[in-house]
Amino acid sequence: MLGKSLTTIGLILLLSACTAAHTNRGEVKSTSGGGREMAQSDTNRIASIAMQHNLDSLYLLMDKLYRRNPAEWKKTAASREDAMQRVRSAIEQRAAWPGLQGQQDIRALSLALTPDFVGDRVAAFIHASADMIVTAHDGKTEFFLVDSLDAQHIYNAARNIEIAVWLLGTRRNSHGQPLLLADDIGLNGRNLSFEREFGKIVGRLDLLATFMTEKYRRAGINYVQNLIGAGFIQFLPVR
């Protein structure tokens, strides 16, 4: 009996530990709000949040790429942190990146992924990716009632990210080496964190493009529903 009791207690403790480990994975957090939200529709708000998350993903990818390719930041900065801050400031101020020769969006992205590019490829790639995404959103990172977005442009931006990731993983420089070290599948395991983060960006862009398209279709349906529902609305007696 004692042995069975100890076994039962052990199983309970094990299940409790597993449950705690399973449930302790953080929690969903709302974004910070403000008076500016009063000038935003639901679509504006979703687009603004998605844009900020996509830029944050690019900054995270930049950090990861610099850690795996330290020779890149040494071309333009005294430290990895300094290099990251320079790129981030250029993106947020919508300033051109010197190493991209004045090129923007898809032209800049194409240049950053050419085998003979000699500048800081991480900076060029992240800056060009961000510029391409912002350009697809009509050159803006925050959206209000007066703004409109083209769903096809956002959809195209998602495909461009997929193409860029494929080129990053398949192209080689003149020495036969990858343009940048990213995901790794080797004897020590699989590191696919880059692919997952790029996938998040693609997923957000695709969802926003679909939502934009669905919005106009639903507007017609909602109008019809309101007309139908109006016939069933009656005032209630008060005496």
Side-chain angles (χ1 to χ4, degrees):
M1 288 294 293
L2 180 59
K4 290 183 178 179
S5 298
L6 291 174
T7 301
T8 301
I9 293 172
L11 287 172
I12 292 172
L13 292 174
L14 179 60
L15 289 172
S16 299
C18 290
T19 301
H22 177 71
T23 57
N24 187 22
R25 296 179 181 271
E27 58 184 19
V28 64
K29 296 181 180 179
S30 63
T31 57
S32 58
R36 298 167 70 87
E37 285 188 53
M38 298 299 295
Q40 292 180 319
S41 65
D42 290 346
T43 302
N44 297 149
R45 187 62 179 160
I46 290 173
S48 298
I49 293 172
M51 172 61 76
Q52 189 55 60
H53 285 186
N54 282 335
L55 291 178
D56 287 343
S57 286
L58 287 175
Y59 299 148
L60 176 59
L61 285 163
M62 175 168 58
D63 186 22
K64 288 176 173 289
L65 286 169
Y66 271 143
R67 289 178 185 275
R68 293 217 66 195
N69 304 270
E72 297 303 315
W73 64 256
K74 293 178 181 179
K75 296 176 181 178
T76 57
S79 68
R80 178 174 55 82
E81 291 76 11
D82 181 40
M84 290 175 58
Q85 185 55 48
R86 290 186 185 186
V87 177
R88 182 166 184 155
S89 295
I91 290 172
E92 295 180 355
Q93 295 172 16
R94 297 287 285 151
W97 186 252
L100 289 171
Q101 306 171 14
Q103 300 295 332
Q104 295 179 306
D105 56 81
I106 58 175
R107 289 186 176 88
L109 195 54
S110 178
L111 177 60
L113 293 171
T114 54
D116 57 350
F117 185 82
V118 294
D120 180 345
R121 194 186 295 276
V122 172
F125 175 63
I126 294 299
H127 186 281
S129 297
D131 187 62
M132 184 273 296
I133 291 174
V134 174
T135 299
H137 289 73
D138 200 26
K140 300 172 183 177
T141 58
E142 193 173 12
F143 309 95
F144 299 94
L145 293 171
V146 295
D147 297 320
S148 61
L149 294 172
D150 189 308
Q152 187 63 49
H153 289 165
I154 297 172
Y155 175 87
N156 291 348
R159 305 290 74 76
N160 288 339
I161 290 295
E162 289 178 333
I163 293 170
V165 173
W166 182 80
L167 291 174
L168 192 65
T170 57
R171 276 188 177 172
R172 297 291 184 268
N173 60 23
S174 57
H175 302 290
Q177 301 168 328
L179 300 184
L180 289 171
L181 295 177
D183 285 333
D184 180 47
I185 301 177
L187 297 176
N188 296 325
R190 296 161 56 91
N191 175 13
L192 301 178
S193 59
F194 293 89
E195 180 179 319
R196 286 195 296 270
E197 202 63 38
F198 279 119
K200 291 179 183 179
I201 297 175
V202 171
R204 293 187 197 108
L205 291 171
D206 275 338
L207 182 59
L208 180 58
T210 301
F211 180 79
M212 294 294 300
T213 303
E214 186 75 3
K215 179 185 71 171
Y216 299 110
R217 190 181 71 84
R218 289 298 306 175
I221 294 175
N222 290 340
Y223 178 73
V224 173
Q225 288 176 338
N226 289 336
L227 289 177
I228 295 174
F232 297 98
I233 296 175
Q234 296 182 2
F235 290 111
L236 301 176
V238 294
R239 62 177 179 177

